[in-house]
Structure formats: C-alpha cells, structure tokens
C-alpha cells in the first residue's frame, strides 16, 4: 500500500472536499489543519504527495514547505498549492520551493484529481 496524500488546510470544508475527491480517485489521505501539525505528521509519515493551502494562521503554506524541504525524506515530494488569491509573487516563491501545481480556489475537484494523477505518474517514472 502506498503512503497517503497529505492535505493541509485550515478550513474543515476544504479538507473534506479534497479528501472525498481523492477517495473517489482511489487514493488515501491524511489531513492536517496547520503547518505545524503537517510538519510533525509528514516527518513521521512521508506522504506520496502534499496538497497545501497557501494562507493559514501560524505557519503559512510557504513557510511550512520551506521547513519540509529541509527534511531529506520530504525534499522531493510533489506539491500542489491551493490559494484563494492568485498572487504572482507567491507563485514565484512557491515554484522556487518546488511547488509543481498552483490552483486558485475555487477549483474543480476533477481538475485537482487530474493533477494528482499526473504528478504521481511523473514522479513514479523518474
């Protein structure tokens, strides 16, 4: 069994929506509501992919990913970043950290699932 996909978002509705979308696609997911809890969880259970919100209280998505990227087991995990705002500077910084897909809320659950499948296939091949 492959490791779960980690979903990090402070909004319970988004966690449920993304989790349900992933389950429809045959994936398992773990959820965290803060950057701090995501770092702790991912360090102990490296996920196959991370879906993370940009704007969260405490550590935001960018700060969380910067910490995660310093952990060897998490350095190459593919990342999808979600945000309610499509800030260009945030996208540039996210890309520098290694975010491969940047989706602006609201997004289509099928679009998210397509991106998850594409990223996992690309990382399995390499």
């Amino acid at each position: 069994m492959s490791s779960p996909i980690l979903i990090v978002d402070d909004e319970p509705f988004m966690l449920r929506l993304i989790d349900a979308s992933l389950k429809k696609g045959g994936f398992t997911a773990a959820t965290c509501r803060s950057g701090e809890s995501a770092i702790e969880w991912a360090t102990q259970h490296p996920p196959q992919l991370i879906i993370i919100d940009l704007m969260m209280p405490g550590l935001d998505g960018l700060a969380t990913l910067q910490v995660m990227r310093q952990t060897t087991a998490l350095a190459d995990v593919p990342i999808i970043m979600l945000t309610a705002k499509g800030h260009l500077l945030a996208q540039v910084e996210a890309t520098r950290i290694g975010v491969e897909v940047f989706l602006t809320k609201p997004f289509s659950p099928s679009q998210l699932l397509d991106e998850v499948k594409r990223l996992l296939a690309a990382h399995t091949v390499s």
Side-chain angles (χ1 to χ4, degrees), residues 1 19 35 43 50 61-62 69 75 80 83 95 103 108 120:
M1 183 171 133
D19 184 48
T43 302
I50 299 168
L62 291 175
R69 287 302 198 208
I80 296 173
T83 183
T95 301
L103 294 177
S108 157
L120 290 177

Side-chain angles (χ1 to χ4, degrees), residues 7-9 11 13-22 51-54 80-85 101-116:
I7 308 165
V8 188
D9 199 306
E11 298 176 32
F13 170 77
M14 288 303 301
L15 290 174
R16 287 191 305 274
L17 174 71
I18 297 167
D19 184 48
S21 298
L22 292 174
I51 300 171
I52 188 166
D53 187 28
L54 172 62
I80 296 173
M81 181 163 275
L82 309 173
T83 183
K85 298 180 181 180
V101 176
F102 203 94
L103 294 177
T104 302
K105 296 176 186 177
F107 56 86
S108 157
S110 62
Q111 177 190 16
L112 175 65
L113 193 53
D114 287 346
E115 292 292 353
V116 166

Side-chain angles (χ1 to χ4, degrees), residues 17-58:
L17 174 71
I18 297 167
D19 184 48
S21 298
L22 292 174
K23 283 182 179 164
K24 272 187 174 178
F27 297 102
T28 58
T31 60
C32 291
R33 292 188 61 190
S34 71
E36 295 86 353
S37 63
I39 292 166
E40 183 178 335
W41 189 91
T43 302
Q44 295 174 18
H45 315 280
Q48 62 178 323
L49 184 137
I50 299 168
I51 300 171
I52 188 166
D53 187 28
L54 172 62
M55 297 171 43
M56 297 183 291

